[in-house]
């Protein structure tokens, strides 16, 4: 290498490797190369073997005030793919293309750039027999490059290869960092309200449920949680996940009833860029986010038929396909489903796939309603009061007023534990302005007031307590009042509030005469 080559190489290397930002490095190199060869731009492209396309990493140009700055990924033809994949993995001299359409890949990229009248000089950086992509310079006009220009650019193979390799590694680190940050944001939103949740009643009303959780948690079997709205299915699902070997992996919650039908495939399974209008970026679905962990499908009975089919495939093959994708993506996930609906009845009505029902119903756990586990009310009440008071910064934590727990136990709790939690939060909001030390009351609780047992009025001494005698007495009174008439608006049946046929059967059983044989004027 003579002095000219050494000076050229040294200055170019300093500029190419002197910045971690590849656009800055290429811009500095571009201005250096202008002193040695025709050049109006320099670009760095890479080949994606999965998508079979060429994408641009960086490009700088002085054509028409940087008119050529970038271009969209270029889909390759089978001929172009074969050319790239069979290209020898050894460094070679820079390739002169004084007319871009002389080479199949260059022709496609040239067309993506708008077919400007340019000449190309291509260099293929290779590291450890791995071809990284292509660095090319271009000059306005055809037939601009000569062998001397190719020789000079070939001298820069190693610095370009180093910069290319570092750029690809940096892009991968950025991609993984963004993915991790996205997962962290998503999981924080999904799980922040579960922090501190525990199974209240594990030694009493939920003892059987807790035992089933202990049995199934170490496995990867599907679990189906059944129970009314608000009984705590999500808490039980979280307990199963936290007690499993997947505890440190993602726990993704999906409310199947809250996703619009037209978005459910994209939300669950993800989509590729350009899969539909508005799909500007590739998106990982909930199943991909749950890989190696657990996915909780709440309100599974609300899934539309199309999504049921795709879920069945996931259960069978443990694979998904993104919307607009063609390659299957293998997953390692545990599925916990939950519903407050009768799936078996839905199967009979044709609203839920029978094969999906069989797949989900591996280990069903029925969570009892709050009214069936009232022994847990004191512990649940104390837990929610302490937790909500802490969230609302209420000090000291109030205690329930005398008789308040008795009022709670008389309530029917159609909303179960969730209703209790909301009731306590409302009571604490009302309690904020109360003087310190005031006990907590639940004024808006719709529960019946206790009352003393009713004392029946004394019966006349000659009144029989036999039920048939009492019925016979009432029928005679009704017949007397209606002149013996049984049916009709003014008949005894209407007066007693029963069907005429029912009354006649009862009269026949009790031996009470009726009909025309008794009085020809009545019926």
């Amino acid at each position: 290498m003579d002095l000219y080559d050494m000076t050229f190489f040294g200055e170019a290397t300093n500029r190419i490797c002197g910045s971690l930002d590849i656009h800055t490095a290429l811009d500095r190199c571009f201005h250096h190369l202008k002193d040695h060869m025709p050049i109006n731009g320099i670009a760095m492209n890479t080949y994606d073997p999965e998508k079979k396309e060429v994408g641009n990493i960086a490009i700088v140009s002085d054509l028409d005030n940087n008119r050529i700055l970038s271009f969209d990924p270029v889909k390759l033809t089978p001929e172009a793919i074969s050319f790239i994949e069979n290209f020898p993995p050894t460094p070679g001299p820079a390739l002169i293309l004084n007319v871009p359409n002389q080479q199949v890949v260059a022709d496609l990229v040239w067309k993506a750039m708008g077919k400007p009248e340019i000449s190309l000089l291509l260099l293929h950086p290779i590291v450890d027999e791995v071809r990284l992509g292509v660095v090319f310079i271009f000059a306005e006009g055809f037939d601009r490059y000569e062998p001397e220009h190719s020789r000079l650019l070939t001298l820069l193979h190693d610095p370009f290869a180093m910069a290319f390799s570092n750029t690809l590694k940096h892009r991968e680190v950025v991609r993984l960092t963004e993915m991790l940050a996205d997962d962290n944001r998503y999981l924080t939103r999904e799980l922040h309200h579960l922090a501190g949740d525990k199974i209240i009643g594990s030694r009493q009303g939920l003892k059987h449920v807790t035992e089933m959780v202990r049995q199934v948690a170490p496995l990867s079997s599907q679990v189906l949680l059944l129970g009314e709205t608000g009984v705590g299915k999500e808490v039980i699902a979280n307990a199963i996940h936290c007690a499993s070997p997947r505890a440190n992996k993602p726990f993704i919650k999906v409310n199947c009833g809250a996703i619009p039908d037209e978005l459910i495939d994209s939300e669950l399974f993800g989509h590729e860029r350009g899969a539909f209008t508005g799909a500007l970026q590739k998106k990982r679905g909930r199943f991909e986010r749950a890989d190696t962990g657990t996915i909780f499908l709440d309100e599974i009975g609300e899934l539309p038929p199309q999504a049921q089919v795709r879920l069945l495939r996931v259960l069978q093959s443990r694979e998904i396909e993104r919307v607009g994708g063609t390659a299957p993506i293998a997953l390692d996930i545990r599925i916990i489903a939950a519903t407050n609906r009768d799936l078996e009845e839905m199967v009979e009505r044709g609203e839920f796939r029978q094969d999906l029902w069989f797949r989900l119903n591996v280990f069903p756990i029925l969570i009892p309603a709050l009214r069936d586990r009232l022994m847990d009310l004191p512990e649940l009440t104390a837990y929610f009061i302490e937790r909500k008071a802490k969230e609302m910064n209420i000090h000291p934590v109030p205690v329930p007023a005398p008789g308040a727990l008795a009022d709670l136990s008389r309530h029917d709790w159609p909303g179960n534990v969730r209703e209790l939690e909301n009731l306590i939060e409302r009571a604490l909001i009302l309690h904020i302005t109360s003087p310190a030390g005031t006990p907590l009351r639940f004024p808006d609780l719709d529960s019946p007031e206790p009352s003393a047992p009713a004392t029946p009025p004394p019966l006349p001494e000659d009144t029989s307590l036999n039920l048939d005698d009492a019925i016979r007495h009432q029928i005679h009174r009704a017949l007397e009042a209606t002149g013996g008439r049984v049916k009709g608006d003014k008949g005894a049946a209407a007066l007693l509030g029963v069907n005429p046929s029912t009354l006649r059967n009862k009269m026949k059983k009790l031996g009470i005469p009726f009909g025309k044989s008794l009085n020809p004027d009545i019926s």
Side-chain angles (χ1 to χ4, degrees), residues 458-523:
L459 294 172
E461 294 183 1
D462 59 345
T463 301
S464 171
L465 292 179
N466 182 273
L467 184 58
D468 284 346
D469 289 343
I471 295 175
R472 186 181 291 106
H473 176 70
Q474 287 297 100
I475 293 176
H476 277 301
R477 289 184 60 189
L479 289 172
E480 289 174 2
T482 60
R485 184 179 299 276
V486 173
K487 66 178 182 178
D489 293 340
K490 297 181 179 181
L495 187 62
L496 292 169
V498 298
N499 187 280
S501 298
T502 303
L503 179 56
R504 290 193 186 97
N505 291 335
K506 180 60 70 174
M507 291 170 67
K508 183 177 180 180
K509 180 179 179 182
L510 296 175
I512 302 174
F514 65 90
K516 294 183 180 180
S517 59
L518 177 66
N519 187 342
D521 295 328
I522 63 174
S523 61

Side-chain angles (χ1 to χ4, degrees), residues 429-447:
I429 292 172
L430 296 174
H431 181 81
I432 290 176
T433 57
S434 301
T438 303
L440 187 65
R441 300 182 183 277
F442 308 103
D444 56 347
L445 181 64
D446 181 21
S447 59

Side-chain angles (χ1 to χ4, degrees), residues 147-380:
E148 174 62 13
H149 304 138
S150 170
R151 187 186 72 82
L152 288 175
L153 187 61
T154 302
L155 292 176
L156 303 182
H157 172 274
D158 288 352
F160 269 125
M162 182 184 302
F164 210 132
S165 177
N166 290 340
T167 298
L168 293 179
K169 291 177 181 178
H170 176 68
R171 281 162 58 99
E172 180 65 11
V173 169
V174 170
R175 185 186 71 83
L176 294 175
T177 302
E178 291 177 347
M179 183 184 298
L180 180 60
D182 182 43
D183 281 345
N184 286 338
R185 287 192 297 269
Y186 181 85
L187 293 174
T188 298
R189 289 195 303 268
E190 291 294 308
L191 294 177
H192 77 276
H193 64 286
L194 290 175
D197 275 5
K198 57 181 180 179
I199 301 179
I200 305 297
S202 59
R203 291 173 294 182
Q204 297 188 79
L206 291 181
K207 184 176 181 180
H208 179 63
V209 170
T210 306
E211 176 61 20
M212 297 184 75
V213 168
R214 186 192 65 80
Q215 292 172 339
V216 77
L219 311 176
S220 291
S221 303
Q222 274 89 249
V223 179
L224 180 62
L225 303 179
L226 306 169
E228 298 178 5
T229 297
V231 294
K233 294 187 284 291
E234 185 175 345
V235 174
I236 300 300
N238 187 53
I240 294 172
H241 173 74
C242 291
S244 75
R246 302 170 184 262
N248 295 324
K249 303 298 182 179
F251 177 75
I252 305 298
K253 176 193 170 185
V254 181
N255 188 330
C256 300
I259 305 175
D261 288 359
E262 62 272 15
L263 296 179
I264 196 161
D265 278 354
S266 173
E267 284 295 318
L268 292 183
F269 309 110
H271 62 251
E272 297 288 353
R273 181 175 181 268
F276 50 84
T277 303
L280 302 179
Q281 300 291 336
K282 179 176 70 176
K283 175 183 175 180
R284 296 185 306 142
R286 308 287 183 94
F287 275 93
E288 266 188 274
R289 293 179 187 273
D291 191 26
T292 72
T294 303
I295 188 166
F296 174 49
L297 302 176
D298 199 7
E299 306 296 347
I300 190 73
E302 305 297 330
L303 273 183
Q306 181 181 0
Q308 291 182 31
V309 173
R310 298 193 69 170
L311 175 58
L312 181 63
R313 179 185 174 186
V314 175
L315 291 170
Q316 291 173 336
S317 64
R318 290 293 192 262
E319 291 181 345
I320 64 164
E321 281 186 13
R322 297 193 191 109
V323 177
T326 56
I329 300 172
L331 297 177
D332 172 23
I333 55 174
R334 179 184 203 162
I335 296 176
I336 301 177
T339 183
N340 60 359
R341 304 180 65 179
D342 189 334
L343 293 185
E344 197 167 7
E345 183 178 312
M346 292 179 64
V347 169
E348 293 177 359
R349 295 198 303 265
E351 298 173 359
F352 200 82
R353 292 183 63 96
Q354 186 179 53
D355 44 6
L356 179 57
W357 154 248
F358 289 146
R359 287 276 182 177
L360 292 173
N361 196 35
V362 174
F363 194 83
I365 299 178
L366 177 62
I367 306 172
L370 181 55
R371 60 182 171 275
D372 297 326
R373 45 179 289 226
L374 292 178
M375 70 286 289
D376 296 331
L377 259 177
E379 188 180 2
L380 280 167

